[in-house]
Amino acid sequence: MSDQLQERHFARISWLVEEHSGIRLPPAKRTMVEGRLRKRIRALGLTRLEDYGHAIFEGGQLNDELSHLIDCVTTNKTDFFREPDHFDFLRERALPLLASLRNGANAPYKFWSAAASIGAEAYTIAMVAAEALGLDARRFSVLGTDISTEVIAQAQHAVYPTAMIDPVPPPLRERYVMRAIDARRQEVRIVPELRRAVRFECLNLMEPTYRVDRDFDVIFCRNILIYFAKATQNAVLKRLCNHLRKGGFLILGHSESLAGAELSTMRQMAPTVFRRAA
């Protein structure tokens, strides 16, 4: 007998995931969901996906299991310097334009990685900021948020497989990455000086309000909106823009846009890069 979720259990899981995270799971994603849940059912001491469905929906375990379910099915693809032209824009255009608004004031720059996953994007932002502003937590801060408690814990630990840092330019690797003393571990860790400028919190972009500051200079929200229905995309975009200071930048993934979001204060500066009117 094949090991599959019952149709009604998959339908309820799909509804729950979209309701709580905004991520759509059409029938074509069923095999992917089942594959990711198999590791979870072993952790629970179950043997079949059907048992998992019964446990959470008929067995009263849903409240305890929901966060683990979301963690399992959430895609957490991430890399250092992913879509590198965005970081070129940050260094070459955004930071100089933001500096011109400060008129010499020393207020710290504030960045937000709104779908941070295991932290590679947030630490990439921090590297670029440190190169431009100096490695000083009083000069800038980076907030990384994600719905998944599991990936936030990984981001806070800041330990990565050595192969993950290949996209980091060698001079930045020398300054901001430490290699494990035992080379057999094939791991690196972000240096403590950079980690001090970055903090991570759990945040669900589906929440009606975000418990974060409203004066960010740059918000990165890349490659997550594509998993949302259009109405959800537009609602999230409006909420994010409310947390930008005037003159601040919103950076989306290369397959995402503000089309249909009705954000009259935002102006496109480059592909998938938008600026709030100063």
Side-chain angles (χ1 to χ4, degrees), residues 153-167:
Q154 292 180 54
Q156 291 169 330
H157 194 43
V159 173
Y160 301 97
T162 301
M164 268 195 72
I165 65 165
D166 287 347

Side-chain angles (χ1 to χ4, degrees), residues 217-277:
D217 292 286
V218 184
I219 298 174
F220 282 71
C221 186
R222 304 190 302 166
N223 306 304
I224 183 66
L225 297 175
I226 55 174
Y227 298 106
F228 296 169
K230 192 62 179 179
T232 302
Q233 290 180 18
N234 294 343
V236 168
L237 286 166
K238 287 180 181 179
R239 289 194 288 269
L240 288 172
C241 290
N242 286 337
H243 290 268
L244 274 177
R245 69 165 68 246
K246 291 182 178 179
F249 295 86
L250 173 67
I251 300 180
L252 306 179
H254 279 312
S255 59
E256 299 164 331
S257 76
L258 294 187
E262 298 180 359
L263 293 165
S264 60
T265 63
M266 302 299 292
R267 300 288 182 268
Q268 187 162 0
M269 300 289 292
T272 66
V273 177
F274 305 86
R275 191 182 192 194
R276 183 174 179 181

Side-chain angles (χ1 to χ4, degrees), residues 102-177:
R102 279 168 161 73
N103 296 317
N106 290 321
Y109 293 76
K110 298 169 72 171
F111 306 93
W112 179 11
S113 171
S117 185
I118 59 173
E121 179 178 86
Y123 289 122
T124 300
I125 296 166
M127 290 179 195
V128 174
E131 290 294 289
L133 305 170
L135 186 51
D136 184 341
R138 295 169 296 180
R139 295 288 289 126
F140 72 92
S141 65
V142 182
L143 171 65
T145 63
D146 199 279
I147 190 174
S148 170
T149 55
E150 182 178 337
V151 299
I152 286 296
Q154 292 180 54
Q156 291 169 330
H157 194 43
V159 173
Y160 301 97
T162 301
M164 268 195 72
I165 65 165
D166 287 347
V168 179
L172 274 61
R173 283 185 231 164
E174 292 296 319
R175 285 192 280 277
Y176 304 121
V177 178

Side-chain angles (χ1 to χ4, degrees), residues 66-81:
L66 182 57
S67 63
H68 298 291
L69 173 61
I70 298 295
D71 281 352
C72 281
V73 302
T74 300
T75 298
N76 290 303
K77 166 67 176 172
T78 186
D79 293 297
F80 289 91
F81 286 89

